[in-house]
């Protein structure tokens, strides 16, 4: 009571001194406050963490594909809170808003609850609930019949997020279809992966290997850290800037990270390669590059020097709409801080169809700065060692790709299915490399060329909110003989399924070990915090049950996924039990810098050196050194349509999650203030966007802002849902994917460049 | 007695560094889930502040929340003791709260809101801290923008951070060292407080005269809280806004007293 009394005394003294006449009222309130304190002290706190014993479960977040280690905190059968796992090299005990929203995602009342079969027309969304046995038998019967008539290659499998392994990798390879794809390749990272393999001889993999701790200069080309809320990157960015690192941001939009940068280059969209070539010109012309590093670790420098001779900052200034001095200055800042100076490879880099060459130009600069393989630069990532489950040899090698694929080399030959067919997406024919192009698998569903794809299994990919040219995707969905959809929520494409299988979320299921190629290679355990809700099942269970019904018994000798995981862990002397006792994480020894490689080269190129000049590209008829190729300009009245992330949302996956919808419920279209004034559009007005092909958006609010160039507009991706079952997200905002009626195929990587679409702004009616 | 233990008369404080905050809203979600806030209730609001014209533009994140005034207007006007000070932080016990809305009108930062006929705001994660934990927002922040600790230490950290960013942000300053008797939320501002519409000298006694007489508070009918929210609380907010001659904050919500919706 001493403290309370003291506070009252101080308070009343102050109050009386200042307010005088209200002294009487104060005295009465003090009595009330004291009484309230007594009540408080007598009462039991009702916070969730006093409700019983807290159970902590180790898993990996699935709210985005970044894979932060988490601890799910539950009491009884209820998960109350998700925290970052302090032992996890990615989350380090922290978590973004989306990760915190994992419980809300699980508790979404709109979830798919039971297996269903279609009763109406495809696309109508009419279904009846059936038992698992009925759904599995029916699916297997269709798959077996199609495989018997057209070969297993005629079944395509699209997968994304944590459960995608079981269908897009394990089942697909056992069944014998090479037509497995993940949107994280050709709709996202393919150009950077193929460019890295061509230049350095290794892929970037899931985690960009920036050695943040000693970093002195960070250059971002379109990456918007903070809006792209990858937890680790936000933490590392904070550390780097606290250590005084310089930040250079190239972006047509004044992104959050641009607002924290030392230099912002508001580049004209589509001209990045011209800027990069001018930077190379300055680095070479002013002898700012690391000559020793270049001599030891690169080849083709003389050709590069000759190539960029005319690409002056003045030349690039004309093209990029940037100041020539700013171009020179930023190149010098990069060089002054080298080798602790990197251009961080962006993640979603499928922009204009010439993206592999742009990414090569970025990697060439990192080489000139001498940063690759140096502390504080660009470390060498290493995959953790662990054996695969000892299954019999698969019918076809895997090639689904994805951003979480481990760093590796280009495989010599494309995987061939049991009927002798390679992938139907045009790899090695319409585009050079062997990476998988999901969007190129749509055409064979319609045309039957090069051979028919008759069935599609979709695990966790929103087909209509991620693949450009939505009309074509719908046509394909009409043509297919069989569509099986596995998902958590009744997304748009679910209405086009013949059979729907409801998936348990990551908090309700075991999942295959997460193996992360990293500075410190590591493995994480994914255990369930609660039993699956409703009549939902994990994807591993569905894939196994379908496997047992499609003649694949020998691959599914394991009965539970725990058995599968333990068999793998045994190969490194561990087990689920042991991992549980070690905070769910096994960290292995790094091999991050040159010193760790002795006399061998870490660059797996034909000569063991960084390919400034690519003979491989030259032989295939491509430019051996990147050149700037102009992209189509928006016509009169039109803006280039740019898109990106909001920190509380992932893809088209989280807009219906109640907590996250509450934090950002609908996207807006960013319009430059001067451009909006000309069009007489006010901030907050409802508008409709019409693209170059006459495709109209749903009504969307205008965000009139100084933070974007006047020749482009910007939207957060993933909104404009039109599935009635999504009660939070349906009808909110507009879909950028719908307006991407065309894309430019990257002839090297197979990536789908989506920033070649233009929109004009029509004043909309209020909703 | 260990002066660092809660229970001792130690003054605690938060650090909020707006030069580091990157607007990810991790804190908002952690607060909302950890504290089991009802639907559509948040104690933290993230916004943007944009200045200049393209391409000569600058922008800051705003991260609006309870500032935990030492001389707290909400505590000053609260007729029931629901709002009270403890260890330098402004606590709220909803049990004695009668929903009169006095705090809503009095707060110079427009922080408390009425929800389900009760005042609601950040209480500095009292239950978490009492249980030996770290406030949820601080625990999850990936940007080193939030800290929690003994106020003197937090103040020293804030001052050191300001010194470190002066080269880049010449107007950088610590906000809260002296305002309202000293805030329990010490803010590293990369620019002057007006940019965030933070009052240089917040008035925590402006609406003290509108306090309900205790006798009236005692005799309140059950539904009085709702009425008073509309008549007194909202009126006071409007009056004060008029007095200040500015539009409501873009990121601010108005006084709402909706039925409590359970969060899923």
């Amino acid at each position: 009571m001493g403290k309370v009394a003291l506070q009252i005394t101080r308070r009343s003294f102050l109050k009386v001194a200042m307010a005088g006449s209200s002294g009487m009222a104060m005295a009465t309130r003090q009595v009330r406050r004291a009484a309230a304190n007594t009540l408080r002290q007598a009462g039991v706190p009702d916070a969730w963490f006093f409700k019983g014993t807290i159970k902590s479960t180790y898993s990996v977040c699935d709210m985005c594909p970044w894979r932060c280690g988490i601890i799910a905190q539950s009491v009884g059968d209820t998960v109350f809170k998700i925290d970052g796992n302090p032992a996890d090299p990615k989350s380090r005990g922290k978590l973004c808003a989306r990760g915190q929203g994992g419980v809300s995602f699980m508790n979404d009342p709109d979830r798919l609850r039971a297996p269903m079969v279609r009763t109406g027309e495809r696309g109508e969304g009419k279904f009846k609930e059936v038992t698992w046995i009925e759904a599995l038998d029916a699916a297997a019967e269709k798959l077996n019949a199609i495989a018997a008539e057209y070969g297993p290659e005629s079944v395509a499998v699209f997968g994304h997020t944590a459960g995608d392994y079981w269908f897009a990798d394990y089942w697909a390879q056992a069944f014998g279809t090479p037509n497995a794809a993940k949107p994280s390749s050709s709709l996202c990272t393919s150009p950077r992966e193929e460019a890295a393999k061509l230049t350095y001889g290794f892929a970037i993999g899931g985690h960009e290997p920036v050695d943040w701790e000693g970093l002195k200069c960070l250059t971002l080309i379109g990456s918007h850290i903070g809006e792209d809320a990858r937890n680790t990157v936000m933490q590392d960015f904070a550390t780097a800037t606290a250590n005084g690192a310089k930040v250079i941001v190239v972006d047509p939009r004044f992104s959050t990270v641009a607002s924290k940068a030392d230099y912002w280059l508001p580049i004209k969209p589509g001209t990045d390669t011209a800027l990069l070539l001018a930077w190379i010109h300055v680095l070479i012309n002013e002898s700012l590059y690391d000559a020793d590093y270049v001599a030891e670790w690169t080849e083709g420098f003389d050709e590069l020097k000759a190539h960029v001779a005319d690409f002056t900052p003045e030349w690039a200034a004309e093209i990029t709409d940037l100041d020539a001095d700013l171009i020179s200055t930023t190149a010098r800042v990069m060089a002054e801080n080298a080798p602790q100076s990197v251009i961080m490879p962006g993640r979603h880099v499928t922009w204009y169809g010439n993206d592999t060459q742009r990414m090569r130009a970025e990697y060439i600069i990192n080489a000139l700065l001498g940063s690759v393989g140096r502390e504080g630069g660009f470390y060498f990532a290493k995959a953790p060692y662990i054996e695969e489950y000892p299954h019999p040899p698969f019918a076809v090698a895997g090639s689904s790709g994805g951003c979480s694929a481990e760093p590796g080399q280009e495989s010599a030959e494309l995987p061939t299915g049991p009927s002798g067919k390679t992938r139907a997406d045009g790899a090695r024919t319409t585009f050079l490399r062997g990476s998988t192009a999901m969007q190129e698998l749509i055409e064979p569903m319609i045309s039957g060329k090069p051979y028919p794809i008759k069935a599609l299994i979709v695990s966790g990919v929103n087909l209509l909110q991620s693949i450009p040219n939505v009309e074509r995707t719908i046509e394909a969905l009409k043509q297919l003989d069989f569509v099986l959809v596995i998902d958590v929520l009744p997304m748009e494409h679910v209405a086009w399924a013949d059979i729907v299988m409801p998936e348990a979320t990551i908090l309700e299921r075991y999942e295959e070990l997460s193996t992360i190629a990293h500075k410190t290679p590591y493995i994480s355990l994914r255990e369930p915090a609660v039993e699956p809700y409703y009549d939902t099942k994990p994807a591993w269970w569905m894939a196994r049950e379908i496997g047992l019904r499609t003649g694949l018994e020998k691959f599914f000798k394991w009965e539970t996924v725990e058995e599968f995981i333990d068999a793998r862990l045994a190969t490194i002397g561990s087990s689920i039990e042991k991992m549980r006792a070690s905070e769910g994480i096994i960290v292995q020894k790094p091999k991050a810098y040159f010193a760790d490689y002795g006399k061998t080269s870490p660059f797996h190129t034909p000569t063991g050196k960084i390919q400034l000049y690519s003979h491989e590209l030259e032989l295939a008829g491509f430019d051996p050194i990147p050149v700037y190729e102009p992209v189509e300009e928006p016509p009169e009245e039109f803006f280039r349509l740019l898109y990106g992330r909001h920190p509380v949302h992932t893809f088209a996956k989280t807009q219906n999650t109640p907590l996250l919808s509450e934090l950002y419920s609908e996207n807006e279209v960013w319009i430059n203030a001067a451009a909006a004034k000309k069009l007489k559009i006010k901030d907050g007005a409802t508008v409709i966007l019409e693209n170059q092909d006459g495709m109209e958006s749903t009504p969307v609010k205008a965000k009139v802002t100084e933070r974007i160039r006047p020749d482009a507009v910007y939207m957060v991706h993933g909104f404009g849902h039109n599935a009635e079952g999504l009660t939070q997200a349906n009808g909110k905002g507009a879909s950028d994917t719908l307006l991407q009626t065309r894309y430019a195929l990257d002839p090297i990587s197979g990536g789908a460049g989506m920033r070649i679409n233009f929109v004009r702004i029509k004043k909309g009616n209020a909703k | 007695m260990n002066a660092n233990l809660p229970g001792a008369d130690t003054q605690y404080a938060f650090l909020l560094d707006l030069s580091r905050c990157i607007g990810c809203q991790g804190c908002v979600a952690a607060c909302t889930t950890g504290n089991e806030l009802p639907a559509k209730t948040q104690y933290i609001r993230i916004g943007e502040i944009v200045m200049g014209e393209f391409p000569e533009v600058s922008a800051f994140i705003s991260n609006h929340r309870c500032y935990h005034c030492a001389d707290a207007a909400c505590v000053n006007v609260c007729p029931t003791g629901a709002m009270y000070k403890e260890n330098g932080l402004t606590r709220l016990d909803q049990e004695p709260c009668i929903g009169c809305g006095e705090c809503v009108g009095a707060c110079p930062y427009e922080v408390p809101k009425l929800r389900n006929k009760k005042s609601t705001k950040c209480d500095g994660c009292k239950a978490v801290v009492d249980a030996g934990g770290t406030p949820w927002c601080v625990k999850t922040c990936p940007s080193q923008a939030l800290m929690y600790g003994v106020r003197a230490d937090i103040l020293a950290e804030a001052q050191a951070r300001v010194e470190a960013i002066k080269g880049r942000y010449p107007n950088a300053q610590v906000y809260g060292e002296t305002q309202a008797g000293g805030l329990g939320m010490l803010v590293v501002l990369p620019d002057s407080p007006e940019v965030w519409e933070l009052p240089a000298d917040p008035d925590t006694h402006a609406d003290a005269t509108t306090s309900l007489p205790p006798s009236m508070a005692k005799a309140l009918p059950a539904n009085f809280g709702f009425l008073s929210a509309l008549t007194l609380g909202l009126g006071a907010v409007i009056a004060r806004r008029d007095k200040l001659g500015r539009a409501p904050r873009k990121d601010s919500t108005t006084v709402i007293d909706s039925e409590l919706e359970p969060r899923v």
Side-chain angles (χ1 to χ4, degrees):
Chain A
M1 276 312 283
K3 190 183 66 177
V4 175
L6 181 67
Q7 283 180 342
I8 291 169
T9 311
R10 267 189 62 225
R11 159 161 303 292
S12 50
F13 170 74
L14 278 171
K15 270 299 198 185
V16 171
M18 294 165 95
S21 62
S22 64
M24 196 62 197
M26 282 307 302
T28 317
R29 280 210 288 279
Q30 283 152 16
V31 173
R32 294 187 153 274
R33 192 171 297 122
N37 275 337
T38 314
L39 268 177
R40 257 190 303 273
Q41 281 153 12
V44 177
D46 57 358
W48 63 266
F49 41 89
F50 290 118
K51 282 178 180 160
T53 309
I54 298 172
K55 185 181 82 171
S56 294
T57 308
Y58 298 110
S59 187
V60 175
C61 184
D62 192 30
M63 294 299 284
C64 94
W66 186 244
R67 303 205 203 177
C68 285
I70 54 171
I71 302 177
Q73 315 267 20
S74 52
V75 178
D77 295 334
T78 309
V79 183
F80 284 96
K81 184 75 174 60
I82 304 174
D83 293 318
N85 179 355
D88 181 80
K90 285 215 191 204
S91 75
R92 308 159 192 161
K94 316 281 185 188
L95 215 52
C96 75
R98 299 168 298 174
Q100 306 275 349
V103 179
S104 187
F105 182 76
M106 174 171 72
N107 290 344
D108 189 335
D110 294 340
R111 276 180 64 174
L112 296 166
R113 294 170 184 233
M116 301 189 293
V117 297
R118 179 167 60 83
T119 55
E121 292 297 308
R122 275 215 191 115
E124 262 192 311
K126 288 185 181 162
F127 295 96
K128 68 168 182 192
E129 290 190 1
V130 294
T131 65
W132 273 104
I133 302 285
E134 287 170 310
L136 293 162
D137 285 350
E141 192 184 317
K142 277 299 225 180
L143 292 167
N144 286 331
I146 289 165
E149 191 173 349
Y150 301 97
E153 297 93 336
S154 63
V155 177
V157 188
F158 293 177
H160 206 201
T161 69
D164 64 8
Y165 173 76
W166 299 106
F167 280 100
D169 297 310
Y170 199 89
W171 183 87
Q173 291 173 50
F175 190 70
T177 178
N179 290 309
K182 299 181 185 179
S184 36
S185 289
S186 67
L187 304 176
C188 199
T189 62
S190 284
R192 79 170 197 183
E193 301 302 310
E194 297 312 313
K197 286 189 262 185
L198 285 163
T199 312
Y200 299 147
F202 53 77
I204 298 298
H207 193 113
E208 296 76 15
V210 176
D211 199 22
W212 292 90
E213 270 170 44
L215 189 68
K216 291 184 187 161
C217 180
L218 172 71
T219 303
L220 302 174
I221 314 284
S223 298
H224 47 322
I225 298 171
E227 289 157 287
D228 160 9
R230 276 175 291 146
N231 183 4
T232 325
V233 183
M234 294 193 292
Q235 293 183 42
D236 289 336
F237 179 79
T239 302
T241 49
N243 290 343
K246 296 282 180 215
V247 180
I248 298 166
V249 171
V250 179
D251 201 315
R253 192 174 61 93
F254 192 62
S255 58
T256 301
V257 76
S259 77
K260 295 189 181 290
D262 297 276
Y263 301 92
W264 174 45
L265 287 73
I267 196 166
K268 179 178 170 183
T271 66
D272 309 85
T273 308
L275 169 67
L276 294 163
L277 291 170
W279 274 344
I280 296 171
H281 171 96
V282 175
L283 292 176
I284 293 178
N285 215 41
E286 299 185 10
S287 295
L288 301 173
Y289 64 97
D290 187 330
D292 292 343
Y293 184 97
V294 165
E296 189 173 3
W297 291 112
T298 74
E299 63 176 273
F301 179 76
D302 292 339
E303 291 90 337
L304 179 68
K305 184 177 178 177
H307 179 76
V308 299
D310 295 332
F311 300 145
T312 61
E314 291 71 24
W315 165 82
E318 281 286 308
I319 295 166
T320 57
D321 197 16
L322 295 171
D323 182 71
D325 287 341
L326 184 60
I327 296 174
S328 303
T329 303
T330 43
R332 289 172 200 142
V333 170
M334 282 184 214
E336 278 161 20
N337 292 287
Q340 286 80 33
S341 175
V342 296
I343 300 182
M344 178 181 172
R347 202 165 179 84
H348 174 91
V349 291
T350 48
W351 295 350
Y352 302 105
N354 56 9
D355 306 301
T356 305
Q357 293 287 19
R358 181 183 72 250
M359 294 310 299
R360 256 183 55 73
E362 293 184 21
Y363 297 144
I364 287 169
I365 291 177
N366 285 342
L368 294 176
L369 295 170
S371 63
V372 187
R374 293 268 189 76
E375 282 187 52
F378 210 68
Y379 64 77
F380 299 120
K382 183 168 165 265
Y385 175 78
I386 187 166
E387 294 288 324
E388 289 303 316
Y389 180 86
H391 55 72
F394 282 137
V396 61
S399 65
S400 65
C403 67
S404 56
E406 281 156 11
Q409 287 170 271
E410 172 80 344
S411 57
E413 288 185 11
L414 284 180
T416 308
S419 326
K421 295 173 203 153
T422 56
R423 228 170 32 232
D425 62 357
R428 302 272 168 84
T429 53
T430 55
F431 58 93
L432 178 68
R433 306 286 287 179
S435 45
T436 310
M438 178 183 273
Q439 80 283 352
E440 301 306 304
L441 289 172
I442 304 294
E443 202 64 38
M445 298 176 190
I446 301 167
S447 68
K449 304 258 169 58
Y451 57 86
I453 289 180
K454 290 292 187 183
L456 175 62
I457 299 176
V458 190
S459 174
V461 183
N462 188 325
L463 296 177
L464 306 179
Q465 289 272 22
S466 50
I467 305 171
N469 196 348
V470 172
E471 281 184 345
R472 183 182 67 168
T473 307
I474 288 175
E475 181 56 27
L477 286 167
K478 287 177 182 165
Q479 297 287 328
L480 286 163
D481 284 358
F482 178 60
V483 181
L484 167 63
V485 169
I486 294 117
D487 216 306
V488 173
L489 287 162
M491 296 290 191
E492 285 73 13
H493 66 290
V494 172
W496 294 87
D498 297 313
I499 297 179
V500 181
M501 296 190 180
E503 192 183 15
T505 71
I506 197 75
L507 300 176
E508 304 155 76
R509 67 176 202 249
Y510 273 99
E511 192 48 81
E512 160 66 327
L513 294 164
S514 170
T515 56
I516 304 286
H518 199 260
K519 187 175 174 183
T520 53
Y522 73 97
I523 298 165
S524 339
L525 181 65
R526 300 192 264 199
E527 288 204 278
V530 290
E531 289 291 308
Y533 282 19
Y534 320 118
D535 199 8
T536 65
K537 296 282 185 188
W540 67 261
W541 184 89
M542 298 179 221
R544 183 173 183 276
E545 290 295 323
I546 291 175
L548 298 178
R549 289 164 169 81
T550 47
L552 308 176
E553 294 86 348
K554 64 178 176 178
F555 298 99
F556 294 96
K557 295 281 187 200
W558 45 278
E559 291 197 356
T560 66
V561 76
E562 294 99 296
E563 199 181 315
F564 182 98
I565 294 167
D566 263 333
R568 290 194 72 193
L569 284 173
T571 68
I572 51 167
S574 189
S575 66
I576 291 175
E577 194 70 40
K578 282 185 186 168
M579 281 197 83
R580 227 178 258 155
S582 63
E583 298 173 285
I585 305 282
I586 294 171
V587 178
Q588 297 180 350
K589 209 176 149 192
K591 208 175 171 186
Y593 308 116
F594 281 114
D596 300 317
Y597 287 79
K599 287 197 163 39
T600 60
S601 170
F603 303 109
H604 302 291
T605 54
T607 56
K609 293 195 174 190
I610 296 172
Q611 309 284 293
L612 303 178
Y613 185 98
S614 171
H615 293 284
E616 208 172 337
L617 286 177
E618 186 181 35
L619 278 173
F622 293 94
D623 295 313
I625 301 175
V627 296
Y628 164 68
E629 293 169 349
V631 296
E632 190 187 337
E633 302 272 336
E636 191 82 6
E637 290 181 38
F638 281 81
F639 299 82
R640 188 179 298 278
L641 176 62
L642 305 176
Y643 49 84
R645 297 265 176 254
H646 186 278
V648 310
H649 288 295
T650 299
F651 313 136
K653 172 176 173 161
T654 58
Q655 290 73 22
N656 202 65
T657 301
L659 171 68
L660 303 177
S661 170
E662 196 177 304
L663 300 186
Y664 190 70
S665 61
E666 60 180 278
N667 62 352
E668 306 144 296
V669 55
W670 293 39
I671 308 169
N672 170 275
K677 197 175 175 187
K678 269 190 211 156
L679 294 169
K680 297 194 172 66
I681 291 167
K682 290 212 163 72
D683 187 44
T686 301
V687 297
I688 286 170
L689 307 178
E690 183 191 29
N691 86 348
Q692 72 282 341
D693 297 324
M695 180 64 81
E696 285 195 355
S697 75
T698 48
V700 60
K701 285 200 181 108
K703 171 176 167 143
V704 174
T705 178
E706 301 290 350
R707 297 178 66 166
I708 190 166
R709 287 175 58 91
D711 52 5
V713 295
Y714 170 85
M715 297 162 75
V716 170
H717 169 72
F719 281 86
H721 284 277
N722 63 355
E724 281 178 15
L726 301 173
T727 58
Q728 299 281 341
N730 185 30
K732 290 191 183 147
S735 165
D736 56 325
T737 307
L738 189 68
L739 296 167
Q740 289 156 359
T741 47
R742 59 180 189 175
Y743 61 87
L745 182 73
D746 179 348
I748 300 175
S749 74
M754 292 179 257
R755 295 190 176 171
I756 60 157
N757 289 281
F758 309 121
V759 293
R760 64 176 162 195
I761 300 160
K762 298 162 82 174
K763 280 180 207 172
N765 300 317
K767 279 185 217 176
Chain B
M1 192 174 186
N2 185 343
N4 288 333
L5 283 177
D9 198 15
T10 308
Q11 302 295 294
Y12 286 85
F14 289 83
L15 173 82
L16 170 60
D17 185 344
L18 291 182
S19 75
R20 302 256 179 106
C21 176
I22 201 156
C24 76
Q25 306 206 39
C27 58
V28 185
C31 168
T32 308
T33 55
N35 292 313
E36 296 179 271
L37 301 187
K40 300 189 176 69
T41 305
Q42 294 127 30
Y43 291 164
I44 305 166
R45 286 195 306 279
I46 309 290
E48 63 164 10
I49 289 157
V50 186
M51 291 169 293
E53 283 181 19
F54 179 91
E56 299 299 320
V57 57
S58 63
F60 293 113
I61 301 287
S62 67
N63 187 317
H64 188 65
R65 45 174 81 211
C66 177
Y67 293 87
H68 296 282
C69 313
D71 179 18
C74 57
V75 176
N76 293 342
V77 299
C78 180
T80 67
M83 293 277 190
Y84 65 104
K85 292 298 294 185
E86 181 184 61
N87 297 112
L89 302 171
T90 308
R91 310 292 197 198
L92 165 61
D93 182 358
Q94 288 195 324
E95 219 160 86
C97 176
I98 54 167
C100 68
E102 286 292 294
C103 54
V104 177
C107 175
Y109 298 104
E110 301 174 16
V111 166
K113 298 280 177 281
L114 284 177
R115 280 274 174 210
N116 206 34
K117 299 164 193 170
K118 295 278 186 187
S119 183
T120 176
K121 73 160 202 71
C122 162
D123 73 345
C125 273
K126 176 175 165 57
V128 177
V129 173
D130 283 356
T134 306
W136 294 119
C137 60
V138 175
K139 187 175 179 184
T140 210
C141 176
S143 295
Q144 304 167 7
L146 288 166
M147 285 176 76
Y148 176 77
V150 174
R151 189 171 187 274
D153 299 342
I154 294 291
L155 180 60
E157 173 71 17
Q159 285 163 337
R161 286 192 182 199
V162 163
E163 279 314 304
I165 60 171
K166 278 269 186 185
R168 181 178 160 75
Y169 301 109
N171 293 334
Q173 55 193 277
V174 177
Y175 181 82
E177 187 175 356
T178 57
Q179 282 82 0
L183 304 182
M185 182 70 62
L186 291 160
V187 191
V188 173
L189 292 179
D191 207 333
S192 52
E194 298 80 62
V195 171
W196 288 266
E197 296 184 10
L198 290 169
D201 184 18
D203 186 351
T204 54
H205 296 274
D207 297 296
T209 51
T210 62
S211 297
L212 286 176
S215 56
M216 190 176 161
K218 201 175 182 178
L220 287 177
N223 64 351
F224 186 82
F226 176 70
L227 289 172
S228 67
L230 294 175
T231 55
L232 294 176
L234 185 56
V237 170
I238 292 167
R240 199 168 54 76
R241 277 188 186 145
D242 289 345
K243 191 168 66 192
L244 292 174
R246 60 180 164 89
R249 305 176 69 94
K250 197 182 173 188
D251 61 351
S252 144
T253 50
T254 48
V255 182
I256 302 163
D257 190 356
S258 60
E259 280 308 304
L260 187 140
E261 293 172 50
R263 183 176 293 283
V264 289

